[in-house]
Amino acid sequence: MNNLLMEVENEIAVVTINRPKSLNALNSETLTELEQCLGEIEKRKDVKVVILTGAGEKAFVAGADISEMKDATAAQGRDMAFLACRTFGKLENMPQVTIAAVNGFALGGGCEISMACDIRIASENAKFGQPEVNLGILPGFGGTQRLPRLVGKGRAKELIFTADMIDAQEAYRIGLANKVVPLADLLKFCKEMAAKIISKGSYAVSLAKMAINTGLDIDLASGLKLEADLFGLSFATADKKEGMSAFLEKRPANLTDF
Ligand code: HXC
């Protein structure tokens, strides 16, 4: 991999987009590597949480690579958007929990990739925005779809139409960032959150992720039916037996992944 770093420790995979000279901008090669990398991680039973971050202290991801897009044709632009759609879809729907450790600029495709993650933790210096209209394009990596789902239609339209950048506190205030922490503590904080999630029943967590994601795209009655089915499925696990027995026996539960 030319543009990514990946390390696995304590069931946590840290994936770092590593193009600091261009503020970790996403070119096709990086997106292709990320699609492959996430495809491998989603099959691994020894990884329960994925933390996605950017190399350096300035940027998480400053967007899609403008130098690659400048001379691209309409068909190439569409292909790039589909590549990102497949790649970000993996982050969104893989059984593992995904956390974006947003360590600086998260602009355009950078804001969009963070929104495909389950949780966004921002460093105090982080800046979010969808500046595409400055370039004569619109968000093409999911921004027009995921931003309104996260922050509401009115705020999403304001951010996309004005191309304004917002700081981490404002992102927190509108629900785009889950937490804001000092840059020096960012990875540590994300790893602690990951460890807390891993200590729970991992299969139950991944079923909850599936219920939330699918439920938001369907009507309430169908979502509640899906939840009931997945809830029933969770009763088939050793974790359910152990979790409930431990509670009644007043001892800590030893939950695993099924
Ligand atoms: C390519 C980029 C880049 C990008 C930064 N760089 N962002 N290269 N694509 N998205 C490069 C710069 O050209 C520069 O390279 C180096 O990174 C450092 O950036 P500077 O601009 O010198 O840094 P600074 O002055 O601190 O400004 C930081 C910044 C600015 C505010 C983040 O770089 C910026 O506005 N970047 C573009 C943000 C943006 O518009 N993102 C949306 C892209 S469109 P050199 O070689 O000069 O050192 C998008 C669409 C997605 O994401 C959908 C597509 C289908």
Side-chain angles (χ1 to χ4, degrees):
M1 291 187 296
N2 293 326
N3 307 286
L4 292 184
L5 304 171
M6 211 268 278
E7 57 176 45
V8 177
E9 197 183 358
N10 301 325
E11 302 185 301
I12 303 169
V14 178
V15 177
T16 305
I17 296 169
N18 187 30
R19 302 185 71 216
K21 284 190 187 130
S22 48
L23 304 186
N24 305 317
L26 296 172
N27 59 5
S28 301
E29 186 182 54
T30 308
L31 286 169
T32 303
E33 288 180 9
L34 192 56
E35 186 187 19
Q36 278 168 3
C37 177
L38 295 172
E40 281 160 29
I41 291 174
E42 71 185 350
K43 289 186 228 125
R44 284 179 69 158
K45 296 281 175 236
D46 62 331
V47 175
K48 301 278 168 38
V49 174
V50 179
I51 297 174
L52 180 73
T53 195
E57 301 202 331
K58 189 168 169 183
F60 171 66
V61 169
D65 193 311
I66 298 169
S67 57
E68 184 179 344
M69 289 188 293
K70 183 182 158 287
D71 295 320
T73 62
Q76 286 166 334
R78 190 162 177 267
D79 284 349
M80 204 173 169
F82 277 130
L83 172 59
C85 185
R86 290 198 304 275
T87 307
F88 294 11
K90 284 203 189 304
L91 282 170
E92 190 157 54
N93 293 312
M94 65 201 301
Q96 293 91 346
V97 171
T98 54
I99 301 176
V102 181
N103 57 314
F105 290 112
L107 301 176
C111 185
E112 291 168 303
I113 198 172
S114 83
M115 292 190 290
C117 294
D118 297 314
I119 293 166
R120 282 149 296 287
I121 308 299
S123 59
E124 285 166 346
N125 65 317
K127 294 243 182 341
F128 293 80
Q130 296 287 164
E132 285 88 348
V133 295
N134 285 331
L135 303 167
I137 56 172
L138 68 153
F141 288 179
T144 64
Q145 304 304 304
R146 292 195 178 96
L147 189 58
R149 282 167 167 78
L150 267 174
V151 305
K153 191 158 81 167
R155 287 200 170 106
K157 284 180 174 172
E158 181 185 343
L159 281 168
I160 291 170
F161 297 170
T162 63
D164 279 348
M165 253 192 243
I166 56 171
D167 64 16
Q169 283 303 338
E170 177 65 358
Y172 173 71
R173 194 185 71 80
I174 66 173
L176 183 53
N178 293 65
K179 293 258 183 319
V180 181
V181 300
L183 179 60
D185 300 339
L186 180 64
L187 268 188
K188 184 168 159 276
F189 183 91
C190 292
K191 286 181 179 174
E192 283 168 5
M193 181 183 262
K196 183 190 271 189
I197 293 168
I198 290 167
S199 75
K200 314 299 177 192
S202 297
Y203 193 68
V205 168
S206 66
L207 291 183
K209 172 169 171 167
M210 193 189 290
I212 294 167
N213 283 352
T214 308
L216 279 173
D217 288 337
I218 57 181
D219 64 280
L220 180 62
S222 306
L224 292 170
K225 162 81 171 54
L226 171 71
E227 185 189 72
D229 287 341
L230 296 176
F231 179 71
L233 179 56
S234 72
F235 277 49
T237 63
D239 278 352
K240 177 260 185 185
K241 200 168 173 204
E242 163 64 8
M244 294 195 183
S245 300
F247 175 81
L248 295 172
E249 290 161 19
K250 303 189 188 307
R251 61 173 174 81
N254 179 22
L255 299 176
T256 57
D257 59 3
F258 190 73

